[in-house]
Amino acid sequence: MSKTAGFLQGNLEHYLDHIAPFCSLMGWPLIVTDEEIYKLGLLYYPELDLRYVHTLEAPFHVTKEFDSILTTLPRASIDEIFFIAQATLHKQLKTLWIPHGNSDKGNLEALASEEVVLVYGQKMIDELSHKNVHIPTLLPIGNYRYLYFKKHQQFYEKWMDEMGLEKSFILYAPTWKDVKGSGSFEEVFDHLSTINHLVVKPHPNEQDNIRVIQKKLTSRCVWIDHFPPIYPLLSRTSHLIGDFSSIGYDFLHFNRPLFFVNPSSRADSGCFLH
């Protein structure tokens, strides 16, 4: 695996905390194509070999330098990005797919073309089997992000102190308003904003949304923007308020109170973490 690198295409901040810790623990470089993601990676992920390559140069650079890539994107998306480079260099990259959160609401059928899939544990294996998605190689990797946090806990404690975060707070961490209407922010934030010691972490896809910014400017809550690592925040969280975000699964490790809001009245299997 000495010729393996992580690969993160574009400004996908919500993927960074899933791929960066794993690359760091494995000693693999992480190739990113967005300057803002590069800056965030340098700030918040110690011991990570982070490399910025322009998006137009990345396909040929990665195909030349590496044999395998760790990615949060399905094989079909990787082939679209690397098609010309692979055809020109007569080289087929191998991919290792890593999840970006527990697959409670994901489209696992999109993984049907994968050869190697990293899974957290038995739940994801069972979910793949239930959807009749058969992967040649499944590699359980456990809760590697928590291990990474513990390894660098002093680093993150310093960051949180500098951010002015209390040692204990209530965290509201909603997901975004996807096609299923999963996000709860617009419906419930006004009701939650009066809670004492409330810290709000909008989903990266919505943190620069004008409606979210307006609420930020008019509320007394503490807001966390563009801070991808989640376990440092959860370590200080006394109570978590969530909806369909996979952060709910991450918080189970701490065995502390967890509350759910479901304003969209979804009733599919992704609703039933509780």
Side-chain angles (χ1 to χ4, degrees):
M1 305 296 288
S2 60
K3 293 279 189 174
T4 300
F7 177 73
L8 184 54
Q9 171 83 359
N11 189 0
L12 298 175
E13 184 179 323
H14 57 299
Y15 289 170
L16 184 59
D17 195 44
H18 301 280
I19 194 167
F22 195 82
C23 285
S24 180
L25 291 169
M26 295 296 294
W28 296 343
L30 173 58
I31 311 298
V32 300
T33 65
D34 182 86
E35 292 187 44
E36 293 303 315
I37 295 298
Y38 180 68
K39 293 175 184 177
L40 290 175
L42 290 178
L43 278 176
Y44 298 126
Y45 295 95
E47 297 184 3
L48 174 64
D49 180 1
L50 188 66
R51 307 177 188 181
Y52 167 76
V53 181
H54 191 279
T55 187
L56 297 178
E57 301 173 0
F60 276 89
H61 173 82
V62 172
T63 304
K64 286 179 180 178
E65 297 295 326
F66 302 99
D67 299 321
S68 305
I69 55 172
L70 177 78
T71 176
T72 52
L73 298 175
R75 181 75 215 194
S77 298
I78 291 298
D79 284 339
E80 286 182 5
I81 295 169
F82 288 91
F83 174 77
I84 295 177
Q86 291 183 126
T88 302
L89 298 173
H90 305 288
K91 181 180 180 181
Q92 184 80 1
L93 287 168
K94 296 179 180 179
T95 58
L96 297 85
W97 182 84
I98 188 168
H100 57 282
N102 193 288
S103 57
D104 60 320
K105 58 187 183 298
N107 180 19
L108 294 181
E109 291 85 354
L111 302 180
S113 299
E114 307 296 330
E115 293 186 0
V116 180
V117 166
L118 310 184
V119 296
Y120 299 130
Q122 191 61 44
K123 181 183 183 300
M124 295 186 71
I125 295 174
D126 293 341
E127 189 75 9
L128 286 163
S129 177
H130 176 71
K131 292 180 177 288
N132 293 315
V133 179
H134 304 289
I135 309 296
T137 303
L138 294 174
L139 298 177
I141 54 177
N143 196 350
Y144 65 93
R145 288 193 295 156
Y146 179 73
L147 295 177
Y148 182 79
F149 159 66
K150 294 299 292 184
K151 181 178 181 182
H152 301 289
Q153 186 167 358
Q154 290 185 336
F155 170 86
Y156 288 118
E157 293 290 349
K158 181 179 178 182
W159 255 116
M160 290 188 291
D161 288 341
E162 291 179 354
M163 293 163 63
L165 290 177
E166 299 181 17
K167 297 297 183 182
S168 180
F169 50 76
I170 299 171
L171 178 65
Y172 173 48
T175 190
W176 62 297
K177 204 75 168 180
D178 59 12
V179 293
K180 295 182 179 181
S182 302
S184 60
F185 180 86
E186 292 185 17
E187 290 85 351
V188 306
F189 174 73
D190 287 341
H191 300 286
L192 300 177
S193 61
T194 58
I195 297 175
N196 292 328
H197 308 291
L198 183 70
V199 173
V200 182
K201 188 182 191 304
H203 189 280
N205 285 352
E206 292 195 336
Q207 60 193 351
D208 295 324
N209 183 296
I210 186 62
R211 293 186 298 274
V212 174
I213 294 174
Q214 288 173 341
K215 296 294 185 182
K216 177 180 178 180
L217 293 175
T218 57
S219 75
R220 295 181 298 169
C221 305
V222 175
W223 292 72
I224 303 294
D225 297 316
H226 301 293
F227 183 77
I230 189 58
Y231 270 103
L233 299 178
L234 294 181
S235 71
R236 293 191 179 189
T237 298
S238 62
H239 302 68
L240 176 67
I241 303 172
D243 40 41
F244 304 99
S245 171
S246 292
I247 290 175
Y249 287 95
D250 300 323
F251 194 59
L252 292 176
H253 175 86
F254 297 95
N255 196 29
R256 298 172 189 161
L258 173 58
F259 299 88
F260 299 92
V261 289
N262 182 7
S264 64
S265 299
R266 277 179 52 185
D268 54 277
S269 61
C271 299
F272 303 127
L273 171 59
H274 61 286

